[in-house]
Amino acid sequence: MDKEKIKEWIIQEFKNGEIRDTWFPMLSVSGMRDYSETVHSTGLNYITEIGRRLDGYTAVSEYPVYPISESFGHSITREVRPDSIWYNKEGLKPVLVSEFERFENSVAKNNKLREKIENLLIAYHQLGGNLPIILFVYWSHSGIVPKDIDKYISIFDEGFRLSNGTYINGINSFESDYLVYQAVAKGNKEKLTINKWIQVK
């Protein structure tokens, strides 16, 4: 699996927005109503479509990952359902897991951001621990920047401990990379566009 090919595909798409403009004009041009899960649903399906447009790969949205306790040596109680998982068509080996999460500066949203990053790391291990890419995108309105984003991103490298005491290792940096993006929203609740995707890591 070509890790660099996948990374470059993502980076270029977020930069030029060709798939976004063609298949998700509500993100880049016409705007959408920020109601319930509309933005989340649109964003995660956009990420999934990016995977489907990459030659030799396919992708699914909101796919539950079966807990494999052997990945950690003991049982994992948290079920995870990444927003998008990409697979190599040849052998259907997973190559990417992704989350797309809203962010606002509040304790609750900070906790949610951390939980989503932890879930990505759990999914990464349960899918074999050697996926080429983890992709985390948080979206926010212009001017809103998470104060502790570096602390949360470091979970990918350092790992974390579950509430039951189980330690979840960070990624294997020899095999895997992670990409972190901030998607910046403009407009109001009646007409919101997200057409600026900034690489954070």
Side-chain angles (χ1 to χ4, degrees), residues 17 26 39 48 65 77 95 113 130 161 164 170-171 189 200:
M26 68 286 285
V39 179
T48 297
V65 176
T77 57
V95 297
L113 207 67
N130 60 353
R161 197 169 294 279
N164 65 4
I171 67 168
K189 279 188 164 293
V200 176

Side-chain angles (χ1 to χ4, degrees), residues 62-76:
E62 297 187 300
Y63 194 76
V65 176
Y66 184 76
I68 302 173
S69 60
E70 289 79 8
S71 300
F72 304 95
H74 26 79
S75 63
I76 299 300

Side-chain angles (χ1 to χ4, degrees), residues 1-104:
M1 287 164 286
D2 192 338
K3 178 170 62 178
E4 294 307 315
K5 174 185 175 182
I6 298 170
K7 283 177 65 176
E8 186 61 25
W9 180 252
I10 295 166
I11 290 168
Q12 286 305 310
E13 168 54 30
F14 283 162
K15 183 178 179 180
N16 63 40
E18 186 176 328
I19 295 169
R20 187 165 66 246
D21 291 345
T22 303
W23 300 101
F24 296 89
M26 68 286 285
L27 277 173
S28 59
V29 182
S30 60
M32 73 190 98
R33 178 175 289 148
D34 180 10
Y35 168 73
S36 184
E37 297 297 318
T38 53
V39 179
H40 181 254
S41 180
T42 305
L44 71 88
N45 278 285
Y46 168 46
I47 291 169
T48 297
E49 192 64 27
I50 296 171
R52 291 174 179 163
R53 298 285 163 178
L54 179 58
D55 188 44
Y57 297 86
T58 188
V60 292
S61 295
E62 297 187 300
Y63 194 76
V65 176
Y66 184 76
I68 302 173
S69 60
E70 289 79 8
S71 300
F72 304 95
H74 26 79
S75 63
I76 299 300
T77 57
R78 187 191 297 182
E79 180 184 299
V80 294
R81 183 180 300 186
D83 286 336
S84 186
I85 304 180
W86 299 8
Y87 294 91
N88 189 316
K89 286 182 180 177
E90 188 174 334
L92 289 179
K93 186 172 176 61
V95 297
L96 177 146
V97 288
S98 179
E99 287 282 355
F100 180 80
E101 180 64 26
R102 178 193 296 255
F103 180 80
E104 298 165 351

Side-chain angles (χ1 to χ4, degrees), residues 25 56 73 75 79 87 105 117 178-179:
S75 63
E79 180 184 299
Y87 294 91
N105 271 319
I117 288 174
Y178 56 86
L179 291 171

Side-chain angles (χ1 to χ4, degrees), residues 1-8 10-11 95-98 120-121 124 129-136 153 156-157 170-180 199 201:
M1 287 164 286
D2 192 338
K3 178 170 62 178
E4 294 307 315
K5 174 185 175 182
I6 298 170
K7 283 177 65 176
E8 186 61 25
I10 295 166
I11 290 168
V95 297
L96 177 146
V97 288
S98 179
L120 280 174
L121 196 53
Y124 165 84
N130 60 353
L131 279 73
I133 304 289
I134 295 176
L135 172 63
F136 181 65
I153 291 172
F156 289 132
D157 294 310
I171 67 168
N172 177 354
S173 60
F174 294 104
E175 298 281 344
S176 311
D177 283 336
Y178 56 86
L179 291 171
V180 179
Q199 187 172 355
K201 196 79 172 180

Side-chain angles (χ1 to χ4, degrees), residues 118-129:
E118 291 176 355
N119 285 349
L120 280 174
L121 196 53
I122 290 172
Y124 165 84
H125 285 295
Q126 290 180 340
L127 290 168

